[in-house]
Amino acid sequence: MLQVLKALALMNAMRKVLKISSKELAEKIGQSIQAASRKLKELEDEGLIERTLTKDGQFVVITDKGKELLYKEYLDYKRIFEGEGEFVIKGKVFSGLGEGRYYVSLEGYKKQFEEKLGFTPYPGTLNLKIPKEQMFFRAKLDEMEGIKIEGFKTKERTFGDVKAFRCRVNGIEGAIVIPQRTHYPKDVIEIIAPVKLRDVLGLKDGDWVEVEVIV
């Protein structure tokens, strides 16, 4: 019934008396004329619409009860989608190669982290290994633009761009950083934060961590 009620609402039956034949409704909902006619009768019996049959045709309007049902459905979808800008990636803590401490401490990156992310990162990263079943959301990071931390040059070498995403780990604000050049495979993410996450959260290798990505 909800499908039919929604179809009627999309035809403006909440705001005006709508003239509609069972054939028209059947085409809208992709069902037979008989099924459309039956569903209109059911909506009427439930008090969700008011229906009038005359020699000029069939007229329907959605009642207050029908509006309430649609509004409840709207609130359910709102709860589903209002957090769509955020998602969670789960990974297992492991000890990295020690590169994070070096790169995070470089002034060329550090200054941009402070300006663009709003915090001075602890010199090091929390490294997470992402299991296969979580790779859908890990792959999303590659597709998304993120916050660009620009590369730079020194006398010795060139450092590539880094893509960053704001995140939370157990309520602590931080950022996932994805270097343009990295020795890590795609199933690894590195996280920076203003504190040493391992110590503050009491983490050790093998612990599972949920990272809330804020986009």
Side-chain angles (χ1 to χ4, degrees), residues 144-185:
M144 296 164 65
E145 186 176 354
I147 300 167
K148 185 178 180 182
I149 308 298
E150 296 180 356
F152 57 93
K153 293 182 180 179
T154 66
K155 292 180 180 179
E156 295 78 24
R157 58 172 290 190
T158 298
F159 296 89
D161 293 344
V162 174
K163 189 162 59 169
F165 296 90
R166 298 182 190 279
C167 71
R168 281 188 290 266
V169 182
N170 283 18
I172 298 175
E173 301 283 342
I176 295 171
V177 289
I178 303 176
Q180 187 181 60
R181 308 166 188 170
T182 179
H183 295 297
Y184 289 126

Side-chain angles (χ1 to χ4, degrees), residues 7-200:
L8 293 172
L10 288 171
M11 289 184 278
N12 222 16
M14 284 206 304
R15 297 180 178 87
K16 67 178 185 179
V17 176
L18 177 70
K19 181 181 180 181
I20 186 170
S21 68
S22 295
K23 182 181 178 182
E24 288 176 276
L25 181 61
E27 291 172 352
K28 289 284 185 182
I29 64 175
Q31 296 188 28
S32 68
I33 295 174
Q34 292 78 9
S37 180
R38 185 174 63 251
K39 289 183 182 298
L40 283 172
K41 180 67 166 60
E42 290 173 356
L43 289 173
E44 183 182 19
D45 290 344
E46 291 292 327
L48 300 173
I49 66 169
E50 187 174 297
R51 185 170 63 135
T52 304
L53 299 171
T54 73
K55 63 179 181 178
D56 294 321
Q58 178 174 241
F59 298 84
V60 300
V61 65
I62 296 174
T63 63
D64 287 343
K65 184 178 178 181
K67 291 176 184 178
E68 288 174 8
L69 181 61
L70 286 171
Y71 187 68
K72 180 179 181 300
E73 186 74 2
Y74 159 74
L75 291 178
D76 287 342
Y77 279 110
K78 187 172 184 290
R79 281 192 290 271
I80 292 170
F81 288 108
E82 65 186 0
E84 69 173 333
E86 302 181 1
F87 55 90
V88 173
I89 302 177
K90 188 175 181 181
K92 187 181 289 188
V93 177
F94 75 95
S95 295
L97 304 172
E99 290 184 332
R101 178 182 296 272
Y102 169 67
Y103 287 109
V104 171
S105 299
L106 290 171
E107 194 62 28
Y109 287 136
K110 182 181 175 184
K111 185 178 180 181
Q112 291 186 73
F113 289 145
E114 292 171 344
E115 292 175 351
K116 298 180 180 181
L117 299 177
F119 64 85
T120 302
Y122 170 84
T125 60
L126 178 68
N127 305 297
L128 300 180
K129 181 84 169 178
I130 309 303
K132 186 176 180 179
E133 65 272 14
Q134 295 284 324
M135 286 300 290
F136 172 81
F137 288 114
R138 168 61 186 88
K140 285 188 70 166
L141 298 180
D142 290 329
E143 298 169 2
M144 296 164 65
E145 186 176 354
I147 300 167
K148 185 178 180 182
I149 308 298
E150 296 180 356
F152 57 93
K153 293 182 180 179
T154 66
K155 292 180 180 179
E156 295 78 24
R157 58 172 290 190
T158 298
F159 296 89
D161 293 344
V162 174
K163 189 162 59 169
F165 296 90
R166 298 182 190 279
C167 71
R168 281 188 290 266
V169 182
N170 283 18
I172 298 175
E173 301 283 342
I176 295 171
V177 289
I178 303 176
Q180 187 181 60
R181 308 166 188 170
T182 179
H183 295 297
Y184 289 126
K186 291 286 188 180
D187 61 351
V188 167
I189 60 172
E190 298 177 87
I191 301 168
I192 59 173
V195 296
K196 187 177 181 181
L197 291 171
R198 273 183 177 261
D199 289 354
V200 173

